[in-house]
Amino acid sequence: MNDLVRQHTALSESDLEWLHLLVSEWQLLSDLSFADLVLWVPTLDGTRYVSVAQMRPNTGPTSYQDDMVGHLVPRGRRPLLDAALDEGRIVREGDPEWREEVPVRVESIPVRREGRVLGVIARNTNLLTVRTPSRLELTYLQSASDLAQMIAAGSFPFPGQQVDMDASPRAGDGLLRLDADGIVQYASPNALSAYHRLGLASDLVGQHLGQLTSDLAPARGPVDEAIVKLASGYAPREAEVEGNGGVIQLRAIPLKPKGTRIGSLVLLRDVTELRRRERELITKDATIREIHHRVKNNLQTVAALLRLQARRMDSDQGREALNEAVRRVGSIAIVHETLSQNLDERVEFDEIADRVLAMVAEISPGKVNCRRTGRFGILDAEVATPLAMVLTEVLQNALEHAFAPGEQGSVEVSALRGGTREESRLLITVRDDGRGLPDGFDAQRTGNLGLQIVRTLVEGELGGSFDMVPAPDRGTKVVLDIPVGPEK
């Protein structure tokens, strides 16, 4: 809509914002009217109309099988549009039109803002299934007529009341029609069922909705005046009320077709099961985070015990083996600590990589500078945990064997994420400028326990590849190629 309005019309940005506000609301008008809506706006030169938005009803058959957005129509071809635009009134004159052997009643509703008519809504009703209307349908049509008059007068939609069409109740979810005093004049079957969920044992018609809602869903402490006012329909508001184990979402729409409030519409939806599932998910997420937190604490306890044991070791080789185990446990603990702070089982691995670098750098025998380039991105927990251990082993191996005590050098970890969305891959390179590999070294056959762990995790658990080769200039280069899922 933005492109069409800016390309073909002279409307300002504030006018465009008003049209967006209207379009966010007009699913309600379409459903109450049982009709298709098409928004036509005059072009810059005034000789044509351009259709910038379209809405089909959820409550009846459509009148348009094709998409009308973007169509241009010369002025004069549709007299009802001309009359509504020029005279600023709702136009209903004329016989039904026939479209593909379907009779269609066409009406035009001017869209007014601050005294100016910005465009015209063409309301098209498929008459093929017309029958004697029920009380529900009559209430829908009367409410649609009131809203149409408010649009023509510029009092609907309500400024500052942006509506989320997916989250707000719709006419089919439940509808109440109130008079000016807040007394229920009509209640749809779904609306009555929703109030029965709150504990209502009688009918809704004839009752003051605000007071009744406050009685069924009392607030903790003083009476919640906001609920009374909302359910009485005095102002355009949304809220949820809870009582008797049920949760109802309410939306009040004051009706002022001639400038004076004659009553209101209250749309409502029973969201009891939805809120129950949301609470279950919140509880589940909290439980998962608590598990990760406890695992992290347990791993840190294990690491502390291993440190104590290492201090009591007389053998330097045994002490170093325990210290390596401490770092392996620590790398896993870092992942679980990060997971304990997230709402899902995905982590930003760059933070983990930096913490692993800092942890492993503490064992450096010389003055070695460790740094990271590139970005790992967001990884699933089942990838992040083994990858953290692999990175720990590779870095630990580089710092222990590449440099002599007191020797200066550098270790760089670079990450490159690429491939298609379906087959995304992560290429990790760990490069040092140390003494290099010994003659005859084969990373796939020889190596210490750390390299055996790396091969097992990379090739077996992560399904990737691992190689360790001499760097082009000096030192050693470790290349890890790992398949990872797409970043969401």
Side-chain angles (χ1 to χ4, degrees):
M1 185 167 73
N2 288 351
D3 294 340
L4 289 171
V5 168
R6 290 165 180 159
Q7 179 181 355
H8 294 284
T9 77
L11 297 182
S12 65
E13 289 298 318
S14 57
D15 292 335
L16 177 58
E17 185 62 29
W18 182 263
L19 295 184
H20 275 293
L21 197 60
L22 172 66
V23 168
S24 74
E25 292 272 20
W26 72 343
Q27 179 70 67
L28 174 62
L29 178 62
S30 178
D31 291 344
L32 293 176
S33 303
F34 308 98
D36 290 74
L37 306 178
V38 180
L39 178 57
W40 297 92
V41 180
T43 57
L44 183 62
D45 58 9
T47 62
R48 295 180 297 176
Y49 298 96
V50 58
S51 58
V52 298
Q54 178 180 3
M55 179 58 66
R56 293 184 173 90
N58 295 317
T59 52
T62 182
S63 301
Y64 286 110
Q65 298 298 327
D66 299 327
D67 186 6
M68 295 296 297
V69 175
H71 283 212
L72 290 165
V73 174
R75 184 177 172 87
R77 179 173 296 179
R78 300 192 178 184
L80 296 187
L81 294 181
D82 298 337
L85 182 68
D86 297 338
E87 302 173 23
R89 65 180 179 89
I90 299 175
V91 183
R92 295 189 176 93
E93 298 89 352
D95 297 327
E97 297 180 2
W98 287 84
R99 300 175 186 162
E100 298 179 357
E101 301 183 355
V102 175
V104 177
R105 182 175 64 242
V106 181
E107 305 165 89
S108 295
I109 305 167
V111 178
R112 191 183 304 273
R113 174 180 179 265
E114 297 179 350
R116 297 181 298 112
V117 178
L118 306 182
V120 179
I121 295 176
R123 182 163 57 177
N124 303 269
T125 307
N126 188 323
L127 301 178
L128 194 61
T129 58
V130 169
R131 53 185 173 81
T132 303
S134 64
R135 178 75 187 280
L136 171 67
E137 292 168 334
L138 289 173
T139 303
Y140 272 30
L141 292 172
Q142 180 58 53
S143 301
S145 176
D146 294 336
L147 288 177
Q149 292 182 57
M150 291 170 65
I151 292 173
S155 58
F156 187 83
F158 303 109
Q161 295 287 324
Q162 188 75 30
V163 175
D164 184 351
M165 290 190 292
D166 295 329
S168 293
R170 298 190 177 188
D173 297 325
L175 179 141
L176 301 173
R177 174 92 184 202
L178 313 184
D179 65 12
D181 297 323
I183 306 299
V184 179
Q185 300 297 300
Y186 174 78
S188 72
N190 284 346
L192 186 59
S193 297
Y195 266 82
H196 284 166
R197 192 72 175 265
L198 288 181
L200 178 67
S202 60
D203 195 2
L204 272 170
V205 176
Q207 302 210 46
H208 188 280
L209 186 67
Q211 191 58 53
L212 174 65
T213 304
S214 179
D215 293 340
L216 292 174
R220 295 182 177 89
V223 175
D224 190 349
E225 295 294 336
I227 293 295
V228 176
K229 291 182 179 180
L230 181 145
S232 300
Y234 291 113
R237 295 179 182 172
E238 289 192 40
E240 287 188 3
V241 295
E242 183 172 357
N244 194 41
V247 184
I248 304 298
Q249 184 181 14
L250 296 172
R251 183 189 175 206
I253 303 174
L255 296 176
K256 303 176 182 179
K258 296 182 180 180
T260 303
R261 194 174 70 84
I262 64 171
S264 58
L265 283 180
V266 176
L267 306 179
L268 55 94
R269 175 191 296 164
D270 183 352
V271 293
T272 305
E273 292 303 314
L274 178 62
R275 296 296 176 259
R276 182 186 63 81
R277 290 196 296 269
E278 287 179 350
R279 292 186 184 115
E280 288 179 351
L281 288 174
I282 291 172
T283 302
K284 179 182 177 182
D285 289 340
T287 301
I288 292 173
R289 289 198 298 271
E290 178 62 20
I291 289 172
H292 284 302
H293 182 69
R294 294 189 180 187
V295 170
K296 182 262 297 183
N297 288 344
N298 290 338
L299 289 172
Q300 289 179 339
T301 300
V302 171
L305 293 174
L306 290 173
R307 287 193 195 95
L308 288 174
Q309 187 65 40
R311 291 177 188 144
R312 295 175 178 269
M313 293 289 293
D314 296 328
S315 169
D316 292 340
Q317 187 176 4
R319 186 183 303 110
E320 183 55 36
L322 288 176
N323 286 331
E324 288 183 2
V326 167
R327 288 186 286 273
R328 289 166 184 150
V329 172
S331 65
I332 302 175
I334 290 173
V335 176
H336 283 282
E337 181 180 3
T338 306
L339 288 169
S340 69
Q341 301 169 1
N342 293 343
L343 294 177
D344 54 15
E345 292 291 284
R346 295 168 64 80
V347 296
E348 177 65 62
F349 198 81
D350 294 318
E351 177 186 351
I352 294 175
D354 291 340
R355 294 181 63 180
V356 168
L357 270 169
M359 178 183 68
V360 176
E362 295 177 359
I363 68 166
S364 173
K367 299 178 181 179
V368 180
N369 177 35
C370 298
R371 67 179 184 274
R372 172 182 62 86
T373 61
R375 181 173 178 270
F376 288 85
I378 298 175
L379 299 177
D380 293 330
E382 56 265 26
V383 175
T385 301
L387 182 57
M389 182 174 285
V390 166
L391 191 59
T392 300
E393 296 296 337
V394 173
L395 288 170
Q396 187 170 284
N397 186 75
L399 292 173
E400 284 184 356
H401 301 291
F403 305 100
E407 183 180 2
Q408 292 186 351
S410 64
V411 176
E412 179 182 350
V413 179
S414 65
L416 177 63
R417 197 156 181 169
T420 64
R421 180 174 177 82
E422 293 76 15
E423 297 182 359
S424 180
R425 303 191 72 84
L426 181 61
L427 183 65
I428 305 168
T429 304
V430 180
R431 184 195 301 264
D432 67 69
D433 57 0
R435 68 188 67 177
L437 297 173
D439 294 337
F441 180 85
D442 184 357
Q444 303 302 324
R445 297 180 179 272
T446 60
N448 54 21
L449 175 61
L451 292 182
Q452 293 177 18
I453 293 174
V454 170
R455 283 197 299 268
T456 301
L457 291 177
V458 172
E459 298 173 359
E461 189 165 345
L462 295 174
S465 62
F466 158 73
D467 198 9
M468 179 182 286
V469 296
D473 299 327
R474 180 189 175 190
T476 305
K477 181 173 69 172
V478 176
V479 180
L480 307 172
D481 188 357
I482 301 170
V484 292
E487 286 195 85
K488 299 178 183 178

